[in-house]
Amino acid sequence: MRLFARTSYLPMIKPAPRAVGATGPGGVAGTIGSAGANQMIAAHVAGSRGSRRGVLAVLTTVFCLGACGNAERNAPIAASPDASASSGQVAPAADASPFGITTYAAARFLEQATFGPTASSIAELKRLGFEGWIAAQQALPVPAIDGSILESRDPGPPDPLAVEFAPAKFTRIAISDPAQLRVRAAWSLSQFLVVSQNKVVAFAVVQYANFLMANAFTNYSDFLRALTLHASMGNFLDNSENRAASACIGCSPNENYARELLQLFTIGVHKLNIDGSIVRDARGRPVETYSESDVQALARALTGWTFQSAQPGLGKGNWANFGKPMIALRPNDHDKDAKRLLGTDMSPNQNATSDLEAAIAIIMAHPNVAPFVSLRLIQHLVASDPSPDYIRRVATVFNNDGTGKKGNLAAVAKAVLLDPEARRGDNPASANARQGYVREPFLAFTARWRGMGCRESPVPPLGIYPGLSWNQKPFQAPSVFSFYLPTDRAPGSLLLAPEQGLLNGGELSTRIGDLAYYVDQGSAKLTEAGCQFEEFEQALVASPETFLDLASLRYFRGSLPPALRVLALELIAQSAPLAPRVRAASVLAFLLSSPYFGAIK
């Protein structure tokens, strides 16, 4: 069995895919694998420390749980029912810092607020403090992708540039742009405000990515107005085709965008208390937020918008003028009749702009918006299953940022990151076992390269374009519901852990095998991408402990768990016949496939 189809790496060791991360009944950070890899590891560490054969048996067994090509290879991997709630990490002694922030705490914060900590970002955070760092980040210039090369190209397959361009360019920004918090916030928004290249052309996706980055810290009311008029969203959810019934024979309002605006973007399907708990009727049933008549009324209110596509010279890759907001080109396409939305009457005889403003005001006044949006941002930055108190505190800031303004996304992002529940785990002795989230594939991918100092994702050894995250390519979600549902729970658990749905055998085996392949067959590609993998190779040549100390600083907050260190040392001993660079890559891939890296707590 080989770890990677094109290689014969690791003839002696087959590292365990026990975990990218998991959620067990004890909390986020459990073990992935139906046989319970943490229990196997603990048993080995306790009773077989001197047996290399024992290590090999443990790792081979766990590896086969996710990567041996069985019928369940691509099924989500369930959590062990006995998963440990502990991260196994102990914070080092406090570092010298004007704000008393340890390296451990700084790295943990940056795991939540960026695409992975680096030595320089840790130093900057310790120098500025949490609030100062956030303020500095929010003041940085807005990054943008230049998609002009796509305007005259075929809009999609079979043109590989069109298929890979937007995900690759966004990945580069995520890895190297200084405005990490803004881009991370944009990524979070993209997860529940979806536009996908599965339907729209590549240039439209580029424009949408730029829109999210530019508006990540704006007011949510302004955001929704611009979102509604964004040509990429108009194409993706068909509001560009939304015309009044009176506009033509056979015309009727298109409800697609209106439905998702309510269900996925603002208020959800059930009424919520400010702490995110569901409002129930006298019989204990959830109270619905809106009715079908509300969807119909909103669809009618949003009729009449279309692309600014009359401009001459637009290429086929930009057929709808995606860089420009939609306009109300034909007044008769708008439904001017009276409407009633969410219990509020809208005046008749208004034009498309007036009805849009009225609809946004009605939606923003709904009490669900604050807890609904706050929960989504908490889930994508800090915790999959936050406490009601955490949601309540952030939703309160959403409703009033301290100056009387509602929907200030910059203030909300700050509240999410600085909340006591978010910062509790900065000292692992105070961590809540239920808190945290699984590091989804894109975040694991970017963190790996950032830890090596890369400027971008390297081009695969046999490839042409930069590599993309294994199981979660940006802006290529399979549907409007994104890569997973925010309400998904971990198998065998009542905890929310929607990201775990992306973790399967194929994902894990790729994480384990591809780094050695890059290093052995494409080391020049790593250098071209600015990666400094030679630091890991040289550290391993110096000594196993030097290598593990470096990996600890780059990927484990300077606190590599002792149990994982013991296993890594035995893997290093077993892999002695391999070339140093492949040996270092193989052991590092094993470390980054562990639950200690895979779950951010």
Side-chain angles (χ1 to χ4, degrees), residues 146-154 159 161-162 165 169 203 206 317:
D146 180 3
S148 57
I149 190 174
L150 299 172
E151 292 191 77
S152 60
R153 299 178 73 97
D154 288 331
D159 183 352
L161 175 65
F165 186 90
K169 292 296 184 181
F203 187 76
V206 167

Side-chain angles (χ1 to χ4, degrees), residues 259-425:
R259 189 179 307 278
E260 308 309 352
L261 179 58
L262 295 177
Q263 179 181 347
L264 301 179
F265 302 168
T266 57
I267 61 176
V269 296
H270 296 133
K271 288 188 177 180
L272 302 174
N273 296 304
I274 194 168
D275 65 0
S277 59
I278 295 175
V279 176
R280 299 181 182 274
D281 64 18
R283 297 175 60 182
R285 298 172 300 186
V287 177
E288 293 184 353
T289 311
Y290 60 87
S291 66
E292 184 62 25
S293 63
D294 289 312
V295 174
Q296 295 169 354
L298 182 56
R300 290 169 51 217
L302 300 179
T303 52
W305 299 97
T306 191
F307 304 123
Q308 295 189 44
S309 55
Q311 180 178 325
L314 290 178
K316 54 187 175 181
N318 185 23
W319 59 271
N321 209 353
F322 290 108
K324 302 290 185 181
M326 295 193 297
I327 57 174
L329 183 63
R330 297 179 291 270
N332 289 337
D333 283 359
H334 179 66
D335 187 323
K336 296 182 179 63
D337 292 339
K339 309 163 188 76
R340 184 172 178 82
L341 175 62
L342 300 175
T344 300
D345 291 324
M346 299 176 63
S347 301
N349 300 316
Q350 295 191 136
N351 61 25
T353 300
S354 296
D355 267 357
L356 171 60
E357 293 294 333
I360 295 298
I362 291 170
I363 292 171
M364 282 295 296
H366 196 284
N368 265 38
V369 177
F372 183 89
V373 177
S374 297
L375 173 58
R376 295 295 176 268
L377 292 176
I378 293 171
Q379 285 183 313
H380 290 295
L381 293 172
V382 173
S384 298
D385 195 19
S387 71
D389 284 342
Y390 189 1
I391 298 171
R392 174 183 52 77
R393 290 189 293 266
V394 175
T396 299
V397 174
F398 186 101
N399 281 331
N400 185 343
D401 64 358
T403 68
K405 295 179 181 178
K406 183 176 183 178
N408 181 345
L409 290 178
V412 171
K414 181 178 179 180
V416 169
L417 292 169
L418 297 185
D419 189 85
E421 192 164 313
R423 303 275 49 87
R424 182 183 301 157

Side-chain angles (χ1 to χ4, degrees), residues 106-118 121-122 124-125 133 137 173-175 177-185 187-188 380-381 417 437 439 442-444 446-447 450 600:
R108 181 176 178 272
F109 177 91
L110 292 168
E111 288 171 350
Q112 298 166 342
T114 74
F115 290 92
T118 64
S121 64
I122 289 172
E124 181 185 37
L125 178 61
W133 184 88
Q137 282 284 306
I173 288 175
I175 290 173
D177 196 272
Q180 283 286 295
L181 179 57
R182 177 180 290 276
V183 183
R184 180 68 188 273
W187 170 248
S188 300
H380 290 295
L381 293 172
L417 292 169
Y437 65 98
R439 199 189 299 254
F442 185 63
L443 296 181
T446 57
R450 281 177 61 79
I600 297 177

Side-chain angles (χ1 to χ4, degrees), residues 490-533:
S493 170
L494 295 179
L495 293 179
L496 288 171
E499 314 86 9
Q500 187 169 293
L502 296 178
L503 307 181
N504 54 40
E507 169 75 13
L508 297 178
S509 62
T510 301
R511 290 193 191 187
I512 291 170
D514 77 332
L515 184 56
Y517 179 65
Y518 268 104
V519 168
D520 193 38
Q521 300 293 321
S523 57
K525 304 283 191 180
L526 292 174
T527 301
E528 290 170 5
C531 303
Q532 299 165 23
F533 184 79

